[in-house]
Amino acid sequence: MRGLKLGLVSAVLLFTTTMTQAQSNMDDVEIKATQLSERVYMLTGMGGNIGVYVGDDGVVMIDAQYKGLADKISAAIAEISSQPIRTLVNTHFHGDHTDGNAAFAKQGVKVVAHENVKTRLAANEKFDREGLPTITFDKALEVKTGSTAVRLKHYPNGHTDGDVVVWFPSSNVIHAGDLFFVDRFPFIDLNAGGNVQGFIDNVRAVIADIDGDTQIIPGHGGLSKRSDWLRLVHMIEATREEVMTMKEQGLSEDEAVAKGLSDQWADWAWNFITEERWIRTLYK
Ligand SMILES: [Zn+2]
């Protein structure tokens, strides 16, 4: 009894400590805005990069990072434009892009996403209902703001099954969502409709529609160009080849992890997608 009670107390303490740490981590986060064109900005903080478009009659923002950062993000956008935020687009359902949805929705911002994003968010009991997308689409959607429109296009089964790439009007800028992790092994969410071949195909499809000068806001990493994105595609193709060769030689998934990739890919590993996790994704 006593042991059980102590265990419970330490579990509660651990939980409280974790929450406090999460909050103080947020307190340390600074939202930085970078202007990319007359009306387009990129905001970085913690989580997926945010895109901001200043339209004729309001601001369209792409992704919302975490709830605990909503006030700082609002303040950063208020410095860019005195117009109200009208629309928030989610590039996909992951928490580091959608946790802040409810905070903006409560201020009257419309949340727009692919229909699979709404389905996945609604299935998550912990997700604040007020942050659920109210406007959903399947293949493509134009978010009109006066005479111009932000174009959203869905790409099936890549990072997840609800990925959207965003084209900003009258500027050569796009937001790639998590189809783009800069110089890191990407997260391909196999449990949520993600697919390695689909990821490659989708990136190549987007790349065919942009040019060498296009500024690309990646889901994670700094502002990039097409050549940076191609480097990611080439890495995926080359590491997949290495893992497929091991599989054909009869190595099990664990044996492939133990053998590892060739040294040239070591710099692509990071705390979330380690070499082990990347090999397991490719093997599956
Ligand atoms: Zn993601």
Side-chain angles (χ1 to χ4, degrees):
M1 197 59 193
R2 200 189 169 96
L4 187 73
K5 221 171 183 177
L6 273 176
L8 196 67
V9 168
S10 55
V12 169
L13 267 178
L14 185 68
F15 179 71
T16 315
T17 314
T18 312
M19 291 301 284
T20 315
Q21 273 168 357
Q23 189 52 53
S24 66
N25 286 346
M26 295 284 171
D27 289 346
D28 293 342
V29 174
E30 193 190 335
I31 305 295
K32 283 191 191 133
T34 308
Q35 185 165 15
L36 307 184
S37 73
E38 195 193 337
R39 289 168 174 246
V40 183
Y41 296 76
M42 169 173 162
L43 265 53
T44 57
M46 192 169 113
N49 292 324
I50 293 174
V52 171
Y53 177 72
V54 181
D56 293 334
D57 59 359
V59 168
V60 180
M61 64 184 286
I62 316 300
D63 284 342
Q65 299 190 347
Y66 294 100
K67 178 171 52 190
L69 295 173
D71 288 346
K72 287 187 203 178
I73 293 166
S74 296
I77 293 175
E79 285 203 11
I80 290 168
S81 170
S82 55
Q83 304 226 46
I85 305 169
R86 297 249 188 246
T87 310
L88 160 60
V89 175
N90 290 146
T91 58
H92 61 292
F93 82 100
H94 287 149
D96 56 328
H97 302 255
T98 58
D99 187 57
N101 277 14
F104 290 96
K106 282 168 190 165
Q107 299 166 28
V109 178
K110 285 176 296 186
V111 181
V112 179
H114 185 265
E115 52 198 32
N116 292 344
V117 172
K118 183 174 187 177
T119 306
R120 291 194 180 280
L121 290 177
N124 177 0
E125 285 170 17
K126 289 181 194 142
F127 189 80
D128 189 335
R129 306 286 102 182
E130 287 197 68
L132 287 175
T134 51
I135 300 169
T136 60
F137 67 100
D138 180 15
K139 289 190 162 57
L141 185 75
E142 288 198 342
V143 177
K144 292 215 164 59
T145 153
S147 59
T148 61
V150 174
R151 287 190 300 127
L152 315 181
K153 190 171 176 197
H154 170 58
Y155 291 83
N157 303 90
H159 172 66
T160 67
D161 60 6
D163 304 337
V164 163
V165 173
V166 180
W167 270 264
F168 296 101
S170 41
S171 61
N172 194 1
V173 186
I174 68 168
H175 192 308
D178 279 5
L179 283 173
F180 197 174
F181 288 72
V182 183
D183 292 335
R184 304 181 211 177
F185 291 139
F187 176 36
I188 297 185
D189 194 345
L190 302 179
N191 296 320
N195 180 279
V196 175
Q197 186 61 52
F199 192 104
I200 294 169
D201 293 344
N202 292 347
V203 175
R204 286 204 181 278
V206 180
I207 279 176
D209 281 345
I210 62 177
D211 61 48
D213 294 326
T214 306
Q215 301 185 82
I216 307 165
I217 303 174
H220 299 274
L223 183 68
S224 294
K225 292 282 176 71
R226 184 176 65 181
S227 55
D228 303 307
W229 215 357
L230 276 169
R231 197 162 59 243
L232 175 72
V233 172
H234 294 152
M235 180 282 297
I236 297 174
E237 289 173 339
T239 53
R240 183 181 58 175
E241 192 65 34
E242 289 188 13
V243 172
M244 278 171 73
T245 302
M246 290 194 265
K247 203 170 176 177
E248 279 158 17
Q249 288 166 347
L251 272 68
S252 68
E253 187 179 316
D254 286 338
E255 285 165 346
V257 167
K259 188 172 179 201
L261 299 169
S262 56
D263 291 344
Q264 60 179 310
W265 311 115
D267 290 346
W268 291 74
W270 53 301
N271 57 357
F272 184 43
I273 307 295
T274 57
E275 184 190 271
E276 171 175 351
R277 195 161 182 199
W278 181 235
I279 291 173
R280 291 192 188 283
T281 299
L282 293 171
Y283 196 100
K284 286 187 178 88

